[in-house]
Amino acid sequence: MYDRLKGFRDFYPDEMGARREVIDAIEDVARRYGFREVGTPALERTRMYVDKSGEEIVEELYAFEDRGGREVAMTPELTPTVARMVVERGQALSKPIKWFSTRPFWRYEQVQQGRFREFYQTNVDVFGSSDPRADGEILAFAADSLTSLGLTGDDFEFRVSHRDILGGLLESMDADVDTRAAIRAVDKSEKIPREEYYGLLVEAGLDHEQAEAFDEILSGDDLDDLVAFAGTERVDAAVENLRNVLEAAEAFGAGEFCEISLSTARGLDYYTGVVFECFDSTGEISRSVFGGGRYDDLIESFGGEPTPAVGVAPGLAPLSLLCQRAGVWPEEAPTTDYYVLQVGDTRETAASITRALRELGHVVETDLSGRSFGAQMGYADGINAETVVIVGEQDLADDVVTIKEMESGEQTKAPLSAFPPTSGRPTYDDYA
RNA sequence: UCCGGGUUGGGGUAGUGGUAUCCUGCAGCCUUGUGGUGGCUGCGACGUGGGUUCAAUUCCCGCACCCGGACCCA
């Protein structure tokens, strides 16, 4: 026996069926928004992540030197890769570029609830539009994805904030502030005691009084107050932008899921405008389910033309937690359209019937083990076969097969000349 | 990397310093012309390495993995 690696999971058919259903639902929504699927490598140069996130990040990567002496890493996220792709094609791509992709990523980090070392995300991004409607479309896509899974406004909420509001406020406070540190503090504010939060803000460069005022104005969530408090053009513009984004989200049908929450910051440094996180409305899942936001500077920092971007990346693991709490995670039992049962030496006829049914597009199984009638029926039952086609020596002598509807147990004969037909999905009712 | 709790047939469990209970599952048979109910038979477990002991699944230590949390969250 070999052990599975920590944080890596196997998915057996039942669970995989549920995952497939969820991924398909999300991707269907993405396609309806006109996002186009992209495929991307599992390995990239390690330098790409170091340049974007700093040297420390190597500790969290599955990184190694390949046989050609290249420093490579298994991709821990998609954003740098799609940024690279956008830069590489440059002006050949018509804007806005709308891409999506579902695939695994790898991070060498501590396993926790909803967090694994190999995890799946659907990344959805818009490049080349700074219009608030692009942010609105991302929010609407996220909301539609969740509702397509059966979730409702009672189950989740999007807490929407704006990097420039936080940055602009700090700037307006006339102190020498480490904006990054302050924003990190804001991001943690709901998880730590208030005094510790103030302590972090003071460390970032505010005095205690300013920290309190900053906290108060953020918790207020009143945009007019913010504008008045800061009184700067930057905050003014940011508030205006946030309002426009929310208006666009509303127009695309996601309004009821969005609420302003200025204490939502995301830990990422590269966000530049609107940021948002999806939370479990019941509060049972303490961490965010997923997040997204605007990152207008990344493409340029990768050597491309300045290209605004906004995106979101729901992860399957936290999403499944959310769905399970809400009671909408799919319960998948295997289903089978037909089981072709063989009695006696009828394998040739049985095989041709099986093949014909499969050509009609159905899910069809037949005996692979030479099992007894009873054992075959038991197997057919076990795979939830809807219809069993009994191909027996006695029936064949009369040029018929028996069609049995498993749920009711009813059965009837069908002439071999008429079964299977050249189209459709023949069942008991068609021959009774 | 750190803290806490775990690990008994495929799944779920009981239990014990003298190698293990029950349910379910899987396979076969009763039953190669009838499944989801029944009967019989079989399969199958103490995560791993070391220590203590006459004897360890049981007690002790390390490790692996699992669950939860801290840190981190690009």
Side-chain angles (χ1 to χ4, degrees):
Chain A
M1 276 293 287
Y2 298 103
D3 288 336
R4 205 163 10 107
L5 249 31
K6 180 200 287 243
F8 287 72
R9 295 163 297 161
D10 301 316
F11 301 106
Y12 289 86
D14 282 355
E15 192 179 359
M16 197 59 212
R19 291 172 67 87
R20 178 88 271 149
E21 204 172 296
V22 167
I23 292 169
D24 285 350
I26 293 172
E27 292 191 336
D28 281 351
V29 172
R31 287 196 169 88
R32 290 205 291 276
Y33 275 76
F35 290 96
R36 315 298 172 175
E37 185 170 20
V38 291
T40 50
L43 288 181
E44 294 275 7
R45 288 186 190 274
T46 305
R47 186 167 48 81
M48 189 165 79
Y49 302 106
V50 173
D51 286 351
K52 172 170 166 284
S53 308
E55 196 66 47
E56 324 79 62
I57 192 243
V58 173
E59 298 299 311
E60 307 260 299
L61 294 176
Y62 281 91
F64 56 94
E65 185 189 314
D66 75 6
R67 291 179 189 282
R70 304 170 192 86
E71 292 297 334
V72 297
M74 294 176 74
T75 54
E77 58 167 329
L78 190 69
T79 306
T81 297
V82 287
R84 177 179 61 66
M85 289 169 72
V86 167
V87 170
E88 202 168 303
R89 283 290 169 90
Q91 300 189 352
L93 300 166
S94 65
K95 312 291 187 305
I97 301 160
K98 296 170 63 174
W99 286 346
F100 80 91
S101 153
T102 303
R103 27 151 304 185
F105 296 97
W106 301 270
R107 294 180 189 178
Y108 194 85
E109 65 182 352
Q110 183 54 43
V111 172
Q112 267 176 61
Q113 184 179 46
R115 277 174 65 177
F116 301 92
R117 288 182 173 177
E118 178 178 61
F119 57 96
Y120 287 73
Q121 280 187 347
T122 299
N123 280 257
V124 176
D125 294 283
V126 178
F127 299 93
S129 170
S130 55
D131 194 297
R133 281 171 292 187
D135 308 64
E137 198 167 63
I138 289 291
L139 281 163
F141 155 76
D144 283 352
S145 296
L146 299 188
T147 56
S148 80
L149 297 174
L151 296 164
T152 70
D154 294 334
D155 301 313
F156 69 91
E157 65 201 26
F158 295 153
R159 298 184 191 164
V160 186
S161 182
H162 199 290
R163 264 301 163 81
D164 258 357
I165 292 179
L166 292 175
L169 271 179
L170 291 164
E171 190 181 73
S172 76
M173 295 183 80
D174 195 32
D176 185 19
V177 183
D178 179 344
T179 308
R180 281 188 177 188
I183 286 176
R184 268 191 231 276
V186 168
D187 197 37
K188 286 185 181 174
S189 62
E190 291 194 4
K191 290 194 286 193
I192 60 178
R194 174 163 305 211
E195 279 313 313
E196 191 181 337
Y197 173 39
Y198 290 168
L200 288 172
L201 289 177
V202 168
E203 265 175 51
L206 295 178
D207 64 37
H208 196 270
E209 206 169 296
Q210 287 174 317
E212 280 184 14
F214 183 66
D215 181 34
E216 196 187 323
I217 199 74
L218 286 190
S219 344
D221 285 355
D222 185 311
L223 296 181
D224 290 327
D225 285 356
L226 275 172
V227 173
F229 179 87
T232 65
E233 222 169 85
R234 184 177 173 198
V235 171
D236 226 9
V239 166
E240 167 86 13
N241 179 249
L242 177 56
R243 284 193 165 124
N244 288 337
V245 167
L246 290 172
E247 199 179 300
E250 174 86 43
F252 284 132
E256 64 168 305
F257 307 106
C258 300
E259 61 177 54
I260 295 169
S261 170
L262 299 176
S263 55
T264 295
R266 301 280 286 157
L268 298 75
D269 290 330
Y270 63 71
Y271 282 118
T272 56
V274 160
V275 293
F276 67 94
E277 293 197 276
C278 172
F279 277 86
D280 168 25
S281 293
T282 68
E284 283 179 54
I285 303 170
S286 55
R287 62 183 121 254
S288 86
V289 178
F290 61 81
R294 181 164 278 284
Y295 51 103
D296 286 345
D297 299 336
L298 187 69
I299 301 292
E300 190 176 5
S301 78
F302 268 46
E305 289 297 303
T307 306
V310 58
V312 62
L316 207 49
L319 206 52
S320 98
L321 280 179
L322 180 64
C323 287
Q324 279 163 10
R325 307 257 160 144
V328 299
W329 185 250
E331 287 292 333
E332 279 292 292
T335 60
T336 310
D337 299 325
Y338 298 93
Y339 180 83
V340 178
L341 191 151
Q342 304 173 33
V343 193
D345 186 11
T346 60
R347 68 182 68 180
E348 255 179 60
T349 310
S352 81
I353 288 172
T354 298
R355 179 167 169 73
L357 286 168
R358 285 176 179 158
E359 280 174 351
L360 292 179
H362 306 309
V363 178
V364 190
E365 287 206 55
T366 190
D367 182 46
L368 299 177
S369 317
R371 286 201 274 212
S372 71
F373 194 106
Q376 289 188 67
M377 282 299 285
Y379 181 76
D381 193 49
I383 60 174
N384 291 321
E386 183 182 327
T387 300
V388 168
V389 180
I390 300 167
V391 184
E393 288 174 335
Q394 295 167 21
D395 283 352
L396 288 186
D398 301 329
D399 286 322
V400 297
V401 291
T402 296
I403 311 297
K404 181 182 175 79
E405 180 175 82
M406 289 298 274
E407 193 176 335
S408 64
E410 298 290 320
Q411 61 185 51
T412 187
K413 308 271 188 200
L416 256 184
S417 57
F419 190 90
T422 52
S423 69
R425 181 165 171 170
T427 61
Y428 164 80
D429 291 330
D430 297 312
Y431 300 93

